[in-house]
Amino acid sequence: MTATQAAHVAFAAAGIATGFAGCGTSDAQTECDCASPTVLVDVPPDRAGDVASVTLSGRACPTAVATCAASAASGCTEYAFEATGDGECDLDVEFTTAPADFTEALDFAQVRCCPGYYVQPATGSPVSVPDATDAGASE
């Protein structure tokens, strides 16, 4: 079973219960401790200058756009995006040079009391793009 398949099984087993952790009811008021729904994509500094594009597709992010959130002299080392719906989002980081491009499938769900769509499981962010020596391990 690949890591992506294992993540999908874990997502199905956990449901979206993990997203409810920040919600509570106090008397007649609902209190929410909502984290940011932003997903971060970390690119190793040695590969940052070789990123040709970061694209998002799938039901959860048909209109989402990854933007540079942190840059270094060589290029962008961290991208950020937010899903626009429930379901799966495919993250593709294309490089201008070898080694291979990086692809990751992420699942998103809306939680009861927080706006936005959150990656499931919550540990799905940040996404770490492997460095040049580990690039063969991409999904």
Side-chain angles (χ1 to χ4, degrees), residues 27-112:
D27 295 321
Q29 290 185 321
T30 299
E31 297 177 24
C32 296
D33 183 15
C34 301
S36 171
T38 301
V39 173
L40 301 175
V41 180
D42 293 334
V43 177
D46 68 330
R47 298 193 78 193
D50 294 332
V51 173
S53 66
V54 177
T55 57
L56 303 161
S57 60
R59 189 174 130 190
C61 51
T63 60
V65 176
T67 58
C68 185
S71 58
S74 61
C76 189
T77 57
E78 184 176 71
Y79 292 86
F81 73 94
E82 291 185 16
T84 56
D86 284 326
E88 187 173 288
C89 178
D90 294 317
L91 163 69
D92 296 303
V93 182
E94 183 180 333
F95 293 96
T96 58
T97 61
D101 298 337
F102 176 79
T103 300
E104 182 79 18
L106 303 167
D107 289 304
F108 288 87
Q110 190 169 36
V111 296
R112 178 177 53 195

Side-chain angles (χ1 to χ4, degrees), residues 5-26:
Q5 291 169 327
H8 287 251
V9 169
F11 172 70
I16 60 173
T18 58
F20 297 128
C23 303
T25 304
S26 172

